[in-house]
Amino acid sequence: MDDVAKYAKAFFIIGSNTTEQHPVFGTMLRRAVKFRGAKLVVADPRRIDITDFATLHLRQRPGTDIALINGLMYIILEKGWQDQAFIDERTEGFDEFKATVMQYPPDKVSETTGIPVEQLYEAAEIIGVNKPTAVMWAMGITQHIVGVRNVMDLGNLQMLLGNMGKPGGGVNPLRGQNNVQGACDMGGLPNVFTAYQSVTNPEVIEKFSKAWGLDSGPRTVDGKTVRGLSSTVGLTVTEMMPGILYGRTHSLYILGEDPVMSDPDTKHIRHCLEQIDFLLLQEIFPSETSVYADVLLPGVTFAEKTGTFTNTERRVQMVRKAIPTQGDARDDWWIISQIAKRILAGTSERVQTEAPYSSWDYADQSAIMSEINALTPSYGGITHKRLEAGERLQWPCPTADHPGTPILHTKQFTRGRGKFAPIDHVPPAERPDDDYPMLLSTGRVLYHWHGGQMTRRAKGLMEVYGEALIEMNPNDAEKLGLNGKNMVRVTSRRGMIEAQAWVTDRVPPGMVYANFHFPNASANELTHASLDPVAKIPEYKISAVKVELV
Ligand SMILES: Nc1nc2c(c(=O)[nH]1)N[C@H]1C(S)=C(S)[C@@H](COP(=O)(O)OP(=O)(O)OC[C@H]3O[C@@H](n4cnc5c(=O)[nH]c(N)nc54)[C@H](O)[C@@H]3O)O[C@H]1N2
Ligand SMILES: Nc1nc2c(c(=O)[nH]1)N[C@H]1C(S)=C(S)[C@@H](COP(=O)(O)OP(=O)(O)OC[C@H]3O[C@@H](n4cnc5c(=O)[nH]c(N)nc54)[C@H](O)[C@@H]3O)O[C@H]1N2
Ligand SMILES: [Mo]
């Protein structure tokens, strides 16, 4: 974040409401624009706050980002702004990629995206001529059936311009939750152990099985006989939920999520949770999901615990217990270890108790970190001791004397040469039609956090933003006859919500924007579970709806 704010000549923000959703970094970017004249292009269908600081605001139709990015690359190539030396030395697959980009001339792109041709030229010049440009994105790019393709195309753009591995450049996904990066790093994904070590790699399976003393019997993986932990790739959240209905998921242990609020198509989620055999929920509040829980275990809040969060720039940061644990609540890690111990007790014949990390007997959080150090190469040198001494450590940091790695890909990419991927535009899964003529986009507002369990309990926040609001363009409001009467009903093929309209040109005509912060009018009653085929992320950003006066 520091090097982007300090050294980027230009910023390209696409699908990130940076000042509302990443306010600290948003402030750093605003200051860079204001005080050192960095250029800023924002591509977002909505007139979000940071567009007030933008050199140029591109207002594309939702779901047309690939056409837009390809169109910008077409102009960059036409003008010769690409970094040919970088392309020759560091990448492969350029010719095939270029052939695809050549299918996206400005007038065609303008038609698909709704962005005027002159603005495409202006944006391509700002991004192409100012070196380096830093690209930033968040959910506006990823919550689509083409989420992965959108991200890959931004990778194409930055390789084309030679903006990778340099201070002030790069592809910079702004990660959402305080520790979502850490959760992924720790193997909170269906296909990997910690730090992206594959569950289908025989050497990795052997390493973890020996460390944890677990063995699920001999079998063949990659032509080799392997013993040890399971090598079956698991399910993503969006597969686990429907999995309840066809017998693939029998029980769930949920902690730190409120799927009744946050998963797409709430009616369907309720139906799934009604069918489940056993639901264990570990929470700090009785959330909307707790209604379906067989057992509710009280965990503790961030303020009551010690440990680390890994932030959006791969920096591992200490958090320290600030207030004593309240009531019967217990540290989340302690509850997990108690459950694990009881499960292991039931499967004792398969556990080798002499294995170094088989017991789940952690004296404290730093003992957990020592296990992470031992089993996770990129976290090898990140210890509580170093963090407490004030070191700023970003992984990879393999050894105790390694200073960490603020910038990736400086000499080469993980796979060696960077591979250009030819990416074509694909329309969204559901589009407005005669029955549901408006486009619904969903997301968050500054004052609330997701399902709102925490922020709806904060009096000051509720005074500022106390109920769900549906953002609607003045043109549409007039057509609807919104006239003092402020309640609207928004209906999709899945469900219906009623809430107050906020008439504003933040949204373009034909689009409404809703959040999922309030249970009585959550956007997810309306959304659908069409998934990106690779990441399995739902297309939260595009549904077809109709809007009526209540
Ligand atoms: N206050 C607050 N801050 C938060 C959160 C919170 O709940 N409250 N949540 C955190 C989490 S987990 C996350 S993931 C991040 C999310 O951070 P963001 O992704 O910045 O937030 P969103 O509200 O999902 O909206 C992203 C932007 O995408 C735009 N958009 C919609 N459709 C499209 C499209 O088709 N193309 C493009 N280019 N843009 C589009 C929207 O208009 C919006 O401005 O925020 C984090 N920060
Ligand atoms: N329509 C629509 N839906 C979306 C999105 C969107 O843009 N549009 N965005 C999606 C995204 S990016 C995200 S990240 C998800 C977020 O979805 P969730 O993760 O389900 O949302 P949160 O409200 O953050 O849920 C966290 C729960 O954890 C509890 N909790 C908080 N701290 C702790 C703790 O320390 N310990 C324990 N045990 N529990 C704790 C809170 O009380 C809360 O109920 O929503 C997704 N859903
Ligand atoms: Mo998120």
Side-chain angles (χ1 to χ4, degrees):
M1 287 190 274
D2 281 344
D3 78 80
V4 165
K6 255 192 224 153
Y7 303 120
K9 292 269 165 36
F11 305 117
F12 182 30
I13 297 179
I14 177 162
S16 152
N17 183 359
T18 325
T19 42
E20 285 196 74
Q21 265 57 80
H22 293 89
V24 175
F25 190 45
T27 303
M28 290 164 77
L29 299 183
R30 263 180 4 205
R31 292 178 61 89
V33 170
K34 220 172 150 176
F35 296 120
R36 69 173 181 81
K39 299 275 187 284
L40 170 62
V41 177
V42 178
D44 198 299
R46 291 162 69 223
R47 194 177 50 71
I48 48 175
D49 294 348
I50 199 153
T51 60
D52 290 347
F53 292 79
T55 320
L56 179 65
H57 177 201
L58 305 173
R59 253 183 132 165
Q60 77 273 42
R61 287 193 190 102
T64 62
D65 295 277
I66 292 169
L68 168 60
I69 301 160
N70 283 352
L72 295 176
M73 293 193 291
Y74 179 105
I75 298 170
I76 287 165
L77 284 165
E78 182 185 62
K79 299 283 186 182
W81 291 325
Q82 74 272 29
D83 184 338
Q84 202 57 50
F86 187 94
I87 296 166
D88 295 343
E89 286 155 27
R90 297 276 312 264
T91 71
E92 63 189 39
F94 179 68
D95 293 337
E96 199 192 342
F97 153 77
K98 186 177 168 183
T100 300
V101 168
M102 286 301 123
Q103 307 301 310
Y104 292 81
D107 38 335
K108 181 173 154 192
V109 168
S110 176
E111 208 167 283
T112 312
T113 61
I115 300 170
V117 169
E118 315 79 71
Q119 287 191 4
L120 293 172
Y121 274 97
E122 206 186 322
E125 180 163 1
I126 296 170
I127 292 165
V129 170
N130 291 287
K131 296 269 168 88
T133 289
V135 174
M136 262 80 61
W137 73 82
M139 295 301 116
I141 281 293
T142 54
Q143 288 173 345
H144 293 277
I145 54 165
V146 292
V148 168
R149 297 157 71 97
N150 278 338
V151 170
M152 287 177 81
D153 219 19
L154 291 169
N156 286 336
L157 173 69
Q158 287 297 63
M159 289 199 295
L160 183 70
L161 292 169
N163 283 335
M164 297 290 283
K166 292 178 184 151
V171 285
N172 304 286
L174 305 182
R175 305 232 49 186
Q177 294 141 324
N178 45 8
N179 196 37
V180 60
Q181 183 66 51
C184 294
D185 296 347
M186 290 308 109
L189 293 167
N191 56 342
V192 289
F193 292 106
T194 58
Y196 315 99
Q197 303 175 80
S198 171
V199 300
T200 58
N201 178 337
E203 279 142 45
V204 171
I205 299 169
E206 203 188 331
K207 174 173 108 175
F208 280 94
S209 307
K210 276 199 180 136
W212 292 341
L214 292 169
D215 187 352
S216 59
R219 66 212 179 274
T220 313
V221 179
D222 262 5
K224 279 192 201 162
T225 306
V226 183
R227 291 191 69 99
L229 286 158
S230 165
S231 44
T232 307
V233 172
L235 303 178
T236 61
V237 167
T238 44
E239 293 167 320
M240 287 175 203
M241 283 293 176
I244 296 168
L245 299 183
Y246 48 88
R248 234 184 138 181
T249 313
H250 296 283
S251 56
L252 277 175
Y253 178 6
I254 300 180
L255 89 161
E257 288 214 0
D258 190 4
V260 169
M261 291 301 291
S262 55
D263 278 9
D265 192 356
T266 311
K267 196 197 279 171
H268 180 249
I269 295 297
R270 286 198 197 96
H271 178 61
C272 293
L273 291 176
E274 271 158 16
Q275 306 290 313
I276 195 157
D277 295 341
F278 179 68
L279 175 60
L280 168 57
L281 186 65
Q282 190 166 317
E283 255 292 350
I284 56 172
F285 293 120
S287 65
E288 296 303 305
T289 304
S290 69
V291 180
Y292 301 92
D294 296 287
V295 178
L296 182 59
L297 295 176
V300 294
T301 67
F302 72 95
E304 297 162 280
K305 57 186 161 206
T306 295
T308 60
F309 290 158
T310 305
N311 77 357
T312 193
E313 55 178 10
R314 290 170 285 106
R315 184 137 64 91
V316 184
Q317 297 173 301
M318 267 326 274
V319 256
R320 294 166 198 87
K321 187 172 174 133
I323 55 169
T325 304
Q326 311 286 303
D328 290 334
R330 291 285 181 279
D331 264 314
D332 284 305
W333 71 264
W334 185 86
I335 300 175
I336 297 167
S337 67
Q338 292 303 307
I339 290 172
K341 277 186 190 179
R342 283 159 177 76
I343 291 172
L344 287 180
T347 54
S348 56
E349 74 281 2
R350 297 206 334 250
V351 185
Q352 280 110 43
T353 44
E354 70 283 4
Y357 304 109
S358 65
S359 71
W360 286 83
D361 261 329
Y362 300 105
D364 57 21
Q365 294 85 333
S366 70
I368 299 174
M369 200 63 172
S370 304
E371 178 177 331
I372 294 168
N373 298 148
L375 298 177
T376 313
S378 57
Y379 275 69
I382 304 179
T383 59
H384 282 192
K385 197 166 152 226
R386 288 182 77 184
L387 297 171
E388 290 287 11
E391 285 194 69
R392 286 168 64 108
L393 298 175
Q394 282 163 279
W395 65 257
C397 174
T399 55
D401 55 2
H402 192 286
T405 314
I407 299 177
L408 295 174
H409 320 306
T410 49
K411 304 249 154 50
Q412 60 164 23
F413 292 100
T414 312
R415 70 184 292 280
R417 278 172 175 262
K419 190 170 181 181
F420 279 106
I423 307 275
D424 265 312
H425 169 68
V426 178
E430 185 176 84
R431 276 165 286 171
D433 54 24
D434 290 346
D435 295 334
Y436 297 92
M438 302 275 289
L439 188 147
L440 167 80
S441 183
T442 69
R444 1 178 111 61
V445 302
L446 174 63
Y447 305 101
H448 286 282
W449 189 264
H450 303 148
Q453 288 306 332
M454 295 178 284
T455 48
R456 278 186 284 107
R457 288 179 166 84
K459 212 172 139 223
L461 296 175
M462 288 301 279
E463 269 164 28
V464 190
Y465 199 106
E467 62 178 305
L469 296 177
I470 311 278
E471 292 179 26
M472 185 177 208
N473 186 274
N475 282 346
D476 293 321
E478 203 188 314
K479 272 194 224 155
L480 199 64
L482 258 187
N483 177 14
K485 262 173 133 190
N486 279 331
M487 288 296 277
V488 290
R489 180 182 303 123
V490 187
T491 315
S492 79
R493 288 188 174 79
R494 274 77 48 194
M496 183 271 285
I497 60 174
E498 290 181 354
Q500 218 189 108
W502 173 21
V503 179
T504 166
D505 66 354
R506 273 167 72 93
V507 284
M511 172 172 166
V512 286
Y513 179 83
N515 63 59
F516 57 113
H517 302 314
F518 296 86
N520 64 336
S522 164
N524 282 323
E525 303 282 352
L526 309 170
T527 52
H528 56 97
S530 302
L531 305 181
D532 176 284
V534 183
K536 310 283 162 78
I537 190 170
E539 191 155 66
Y540 286 121
K541 293 294 183 251
I542 302 179
S543 308
V545 294
K546 67 176 171 211
V547 183
E548 300 154 301
L549 273 184
V550 174

